[in-house]
Amino acid sequence: MLEIFAIIALCKSNRANARARGKSVGGITALTICLWIGMEFFGIIVGIILSAFILDADASETAVEFVMILCGLSFAALGGLISHLCSKRGKIVEQSQQLPLYMPTGNNAGYYGSNSGSQPMNSSAFVSGCYCPTCGQYNDSSAEFCEFCGNKLKS
């Protein structure tokens, strides 16, 4: 259960980092989840192989499970670290150059609504918030304090 909370917190952090750098938010979220879970399964396999080499043939089942879990969690943390480093890669771009939070789809992707007489899309309608000058995390436009570090956002 704690691992699920850790994945959610890491995904939120990685999304904010990716959005600040103009990267795909969905892509970095998928990368985070795949790296975490994939590396955890790989770590469990490494733990099984490692326990066969370092433990005696008559070792208890608990010792084998301990080595498997320790390797699995270590590799999961490594996958999380790799995804975090990927999300922090690149320079922070100005807010006007960042990808919008929601992208419309369909034939009229450049317009609001579904008919051809709609108004053109305005990027400021999608991105409404600010980045904390202290920690660089994205915050909602109604926030007075950063929800990550507590720094005052508006004067």
Side-chain angles (χ1 to χ4, degrees), residues 85-153:
L85 293 175
C86 288
S87 73
K88 300 252 328 171
R89 192 166 183 222
K91 293 182 180 180
I92 295 178
V93 297
E94 294 179 22
Q95 191 169 4
S96 62
Q97 296 175 341
Q98 293 174 7
L99 294 175
L101 295 176
Y102 304 101
M103 294 293 288
T105 58
N107 294 337
N108 297 319
Y111 296 91
Y112 289 117
S114 60
N115 59 11
S116 60
S118 298
Q119 296 295 318
M121 209 169 65
N122 182 358
S123 64
S124 64
F126 291 105
V127 181
S128 62
C130 63
Y131 288 90
C132 176
T134 305
C135 67
Q137 298 290 335
Y138 181 78
N139 289 281
D140 192 40
S141 62
S142 62
E144 292 184 27
F145 296 94
C146 177
E147 61 185 65
F148 297 95
C149 69
N151 186 36
K152 187 169 177 80
L153 297 174

Side-chain angles (χ1 to χ4, degrees), residues 9-27:
L10 183 63
C11 284
K12 283 183 180 181
S13 172
N14 287 352
R15 279 194 305 257
N17 289 331
R19 189 176 298 122
R21 286 158 177 80
K23 295 180 182 178
S24 169
V25 177

Side-chain angles (χ1 to χ4, degrees), residues 26-49:
I28 201 68
T29 303
L31 178 72
T32 302
I33 293 170
C34 289
L35 274 173
W36 185 293
I37 294 173
M39 290 291 283
E40 186 170 6
F41 281 121
F42 181 70
I44 290 172
I45 292 169
V46 169
I48 292 170
I49 294 169

